[in-house]
């Protein structure tokens, strides 16, 4: 409990304190996005095939490298803090340590989920989903949640994505066993949905099955928009890389269908098998990889768009979405000249972080590769969240277990709202007329991090078990 309380304190400080003023990094290049100038710089260098970048609740970047290392990267200084190197990761061509996701209630459930390739006692190359525990600045206590997934040195996937309902999506490739993508009993060529303990959600499309969607070749990107739509990028063969809108229970066609349902035999298959066509495709292929959703006003031309990075295409592609998020009217390419690009994430301040993959055996590494690049609008002013102590909403104890006391510094709005980490309102209260302090129970709230608001004033709250 001691290390957990320490972590809660650290997380609260990170959540309520803006990042320190950053000395501008040397500019590598710039490019325009509408009227905005986007500056590109290198946050950190000397990496080896970074595979995943995730913005964490501690305001650090959590990174996997294909050889087995998991690290936290300081987005201000670029310092890389290794947390663990997984000894049973088996790298082979495209295989190794792949996707990563953090538990949505990380303050009280400090779990890190990773997927990677390994070799069993009989020498068989496989893939598994593992949960690690973060404590005292390191990762340990590995627990396999799902294993024995057939794998080869190519077409392993695999991205992980937490959903708001506390379930986990995991993409898998066909492992060069193409018919398995259409086999509902196989875990290959799928997007899977699991509970956070590895069990099967009761409301999956097929009862008793982890399969969420089928008919995939090698999904390499996975993201959810604020409106709840799911998108995935997928490698095609020599043609038809795809950007798909993911809907539960749908079939995405592989290996019978490549790209759209536009050949007679494809049209017949699509009509009979509930096939969902991609939103857009690329021929020749780009090797589409990491995918994110951009919602920040920092770069207005990208706001409410998808951003996609590619390996063979070696570019960043802006995918504009229509108002309902189910069509891509335009796509625009940026960021050439840095080689293969695999992973991408966005900070709350609107900075975009992109990892190169030039040391993966298929690129031409520069002396400083691999790198994490920062793309930002340096003219955008991030509004400070700092508030003078005399004007802050005060609350205690924090963390809380039973009751919470709130004190407002001056009379103003009476309403109090408590929202969870996903922005859902979970409790309300009021100051009585002329009242400065109020006490109420939090025993009905699940352990986790919450936001307490009174008018324009807000404070983070941690509820403990």
């Amino acid at each position: 409990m001691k290390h957990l309380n320490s972590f809660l304190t650290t997380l609260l400080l990170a959540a309520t304190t803006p990042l320190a003023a950053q000395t501008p990094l040397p500019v590598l290049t710039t490019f325009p996005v509408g009227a905005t100038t986007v500056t590109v710089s290198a946050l950190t260098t000397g990496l080896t095939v970074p595979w995943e970048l995730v913005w964490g609740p501690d305001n650090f970047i959590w990174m996997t490298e294909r050889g087995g290392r998991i690290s936290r990267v300081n987005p201000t200084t670029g310092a890389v803090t290794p947390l663990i190197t997984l000894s049973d990761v088996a790298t082979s061509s495209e295989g190794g340590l792949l996707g990563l996701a953090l538990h949505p209630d990380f303050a009280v459930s400090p779990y890190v989920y990773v997927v990677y390739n390994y070799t069993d006692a009989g020498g068989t190359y496989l893939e598994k989903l593992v949960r690690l525990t973060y404590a005292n600045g390191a990762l340990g206590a590995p627990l396999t949640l799902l294993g024995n997934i057939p794998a080869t040195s190519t077409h392993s996937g695999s991205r992980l994505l937490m959903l708001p309902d506390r379930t986990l999506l995991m993409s898998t490739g066909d492992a060069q066993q193409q018919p398995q993508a259409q086999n509902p009993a196989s875990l290959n060529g799928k997007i899977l949905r699991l509970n956070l303990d590895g069990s099967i959600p009761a409301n999956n499309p097929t009862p008793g099955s982890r399969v969420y969607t089928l008919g995939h070749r090698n999904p390499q990107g996975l993201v959810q928009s604020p409106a709840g739509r799911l998108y995935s990028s997928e490698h095609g063969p020599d043609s038809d890389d795809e950007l798909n809108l993911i809907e539960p229970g749908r079939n995405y066609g592989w290996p019978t269908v490549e790209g759209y349902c536009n050949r007679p035999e494809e049209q017949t298959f699509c009509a009979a098998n509930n096939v969902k066509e991609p939103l857009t495709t690329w021929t020749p292929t780009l090797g589409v990889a990491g995918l994110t959703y951009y919602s920040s006003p920092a770069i207005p031309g990208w706001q409410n768009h998808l951003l996609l990075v590619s390996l063979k295409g070696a570019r960043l592609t802006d995918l504009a979405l229509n108002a309902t998020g189910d069509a891509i009217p335009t796509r625009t390419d940026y960021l050439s000249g840095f080689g293969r690009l695999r992973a991408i994430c966005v900070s709350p301040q609107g900075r975009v972080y992109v990892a190169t993959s030039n040391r993966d055996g298929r690129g031409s590494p520069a002396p400083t590769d691999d790198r994490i690049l920062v793309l930002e609008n340096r003219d955008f002013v991030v509004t400070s969240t700092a508030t003078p102590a005399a004007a802050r909403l005060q609350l205690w104890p924090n963390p809380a277990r039973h009751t919470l006391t709130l004190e407002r510094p001056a009379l103003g709005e009476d309403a109090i709202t408590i929202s969870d980490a996903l922005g859902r309102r979970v409790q309300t209260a009021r100051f009585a007329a002329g009242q400065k302090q109020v006490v109420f129970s939090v025993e009905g709230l699940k352990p986790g991090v919450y936001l307490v608001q009174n008018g324009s004033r807000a404070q983070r709250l941690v509820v403990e078990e």
Side-chain angles (χ1 to χ4, degrees), residues 179-325:
Q180 297 306 311
Q182 288 295 323
N183 178 2
S186 168
L187 297 182
N188 289 103
K190 308 295 192 297
I191 293 177
L192 310 175
R193 179 170 174 258
L194 307 89
N195 291 319
L196 297 187
D197 61 1
S199 63
I200 300 172
N203 60 349
N204 265 6
T206 300
S209 172
R210 293 181 174 87
V211 175
Y212 194 67
T213 59
L214 75 163
H216 297 283
R217 183 175 183 268
N218 194 20
Q220 291 283 295
L222 196 57
V223 73
Q224 186 173 43
S225 74
R229 290 190 177 271
L230 292 164
Y231 302 92
S232 176
S233 60
E234 182 169 335
H235 287 189
D238 295 328
S239 64
D240 295 300
D241 274 356
E242 298 178 356
L243 192 286
N244 286 306
L245 176 61
I246 299 300
E247 297 177 351
R250 298 299 296 270
N251 190 326
Y252 288 80
W254 178 256
T256 304
V257 181
E258 298 177 10
Y260 302 110
C261 302
N262 51 10
R263 300 196 306 264
E265 66 274 19
E266 292 179 330
Q267 292 169 351
T268 300
F269 182 88
C270 290
N273 291 279
N274 193 29
V275 170
K276 175 74 175 176
E277 290 188 289
L279 299 186
T280 192
T281 66
W282 289 265
T283 299
T285 56
L286 303 182
V288 292
L291 182 68
T292 193
Y293 187 92
Y294 193 87
S295 57
S296 172
I299 304 174
W302 286 349
Q303 195 167 20
N304 301 318
H305 291 194
L306 297 172
L307 298 179
L308 170 74
V309 291
S310 56
L311 296 161
K312 185 172 68 173
R315 66 191 70 168
L316 169 71
T317 301
D318 163 30
L319 301 167
L321 294 166
N322 66 351
T324 53

